[in-house]
Amino acid sequence: MTIPTYAGNVGLGPDTIAGIFIAALLVSLFFIVWVARNAKRNMSDEEYAAYRHRIERLEKIWVVLVIVALIIPNVITFQYTPQVVTGNTLAGLGVNMSALKTACPTVPPGNYQNACTSTLQSDIQQLLPLQNEGKIMIVVVIAGQWYWHFYTVAPNGSLVFTSNLTVPAGKPVVFLMTSVDVNHDFGAYDENGNLLFQYQVSPDYVSVFTYVFNIPEPIIVRCLEYCGPGHWAMVSQFTVNVV
Ligand SMILES: [Cu+2]
């Protein structure tokens, strides 16, 4: 498979997205000029008061529209947010969720490299019996400028670096993710460029995220949070296989 070179290649495409932004810019520009011209006209005091009244009413409508436009898509799409089921999947397998750690010992900025080692190891010890029983697969993700490093977990709990990660279909995959520098965002796309899920990856913190891949296919991983000039190149991949 070929990996598109940058995030704009997914979905609408960079030209369409640029077109939308330019169109929005031109529409805004038109209204700015229109308002400025109207405001310049010679108006009597009564006319000006009526004009102000009209504008204030438009502003109120505008504020309500923006709030509605933000709330409605959030409410409609909430049920599709995969994070909602993370706790249920692991708790359903008997994991004591309160024993899973997410916070790492605080270290000064710039020293995040090993900050989360003990937290990761503690979580792996909690989850290892389930993996050894074949009920889950644990994947450790270390993010950095500008790479994704994947590790699998051996039966004795030690981390094994892999540049050729495969995960099973139909079985919960538990991602334990942290960053060695800045905030990143783990975005998993299927073969057709559809976003399956995304999850925040932060320094000083271990993100625990469980996902069940339904079909065997290649997965592309992109960073979905701007993390510096190499952000666009922070692309990796792994494969979902039949169990
Ligand atoms: Cu990033």
Side-chain angles (χ1 to χ4, degrees), residues 31-52:
F31 277 106
I32 288 168
V33 172
W34 182 73
V35 169
R37 277 178 65 95
N38 275 296
K40 264 188 178 174
R41 278 206 316 241
N42 288 327
M43 284 189 253
S44 68
D45 287 351
E46 295 86 61
E47 279 174 335
Y48 185 68
Y51 170 74
R52 281 298 298 264

Side-chain angles (χ1 to χ4, degrees), residues 58-235:
L58 276 177
E59 279 175 353
K60 281 174 195 159
I61 294 172
W62 181 244
V63 168
V64 172
L65 270 180
V66 170
I67 291 171
V68 169
L70 285 175
I71 289 175
I72 288 181
N74 268 292
V75 171
I76 292 175
T77 56
F78 189 69
Q79 58 179 310
Y80 300 108
T81 311
Q83 286 91 319
V84 176
V85 301
T86 294
N88 297 343
T89 307
L90 287 182
L93 288 168
V95 175
N96 176 7
M97 294 306 286
S98 58
L100 280 181
K101 290 184 189 161
T102 49
C104 308
T106 308
V107 294
N111 295 299
Y112 297 127
Q113 190 73 43
N114 300 309
C116 288
T117 305
S118 61
T119 307
L120 279 169
Q121 273 163 0
S122 159
D123 288 345
I124 288 169
Q125 288 313 314
Q126 292 293 324
L127 297 166
L128 198 57
L130 278 177
Q131 177 173 279
N132 289 343
E133 286 166 28
K135 290 180 178 162
I136 60 166
M137 177 175 178
I138 308 167
V139 174
V140 173
V141 179
I142 307 291
Q145 286 168 318
W146 290 277
Y147 58 85
W148 299 103
H149 283 173
F150 299 130
Y151 296 82
T152 55
V153 179
N156 65 3
S158 61
L159 295 185
V160 182
F161 176 78
T162 173
S163 54
N164 197 8
L165 176 69
T166 55
V167 300
K171 183 193 278 193
V173 179
V174 183
F175 293 94
L176 302 176
M177 304 184 280
T178 189
S179 165
V180 299
D181 39 48
V182 299
N183 278 310
H184 300 281
D185 195 285
F186 186 90
Y189 290 83
D190 71 9
E191 232 178 337
N192 302 314
N194 297 313
L195 183 64
L196 297 178
F197 65 84
Q198 57 85 25
Y199 211 85
Q200 185 78 36
V201 181
S202 306
D204 250 353
Y205 191 88
V206 173
S207 299
V208 182
F209 179 72
T210 308
Y211 191 79
V212 181
F213 295 91
N214 291 318
I215 39 175
E217 62 179 338
I219 302 292
I220 296 178
V221 176
R222 294 172 184 283
C223 184
L224 294 185
E225 178 158 345
Y226 183 72
C227 55
H231 165 70
W232 63 276
M234 203 169 153
V235 184

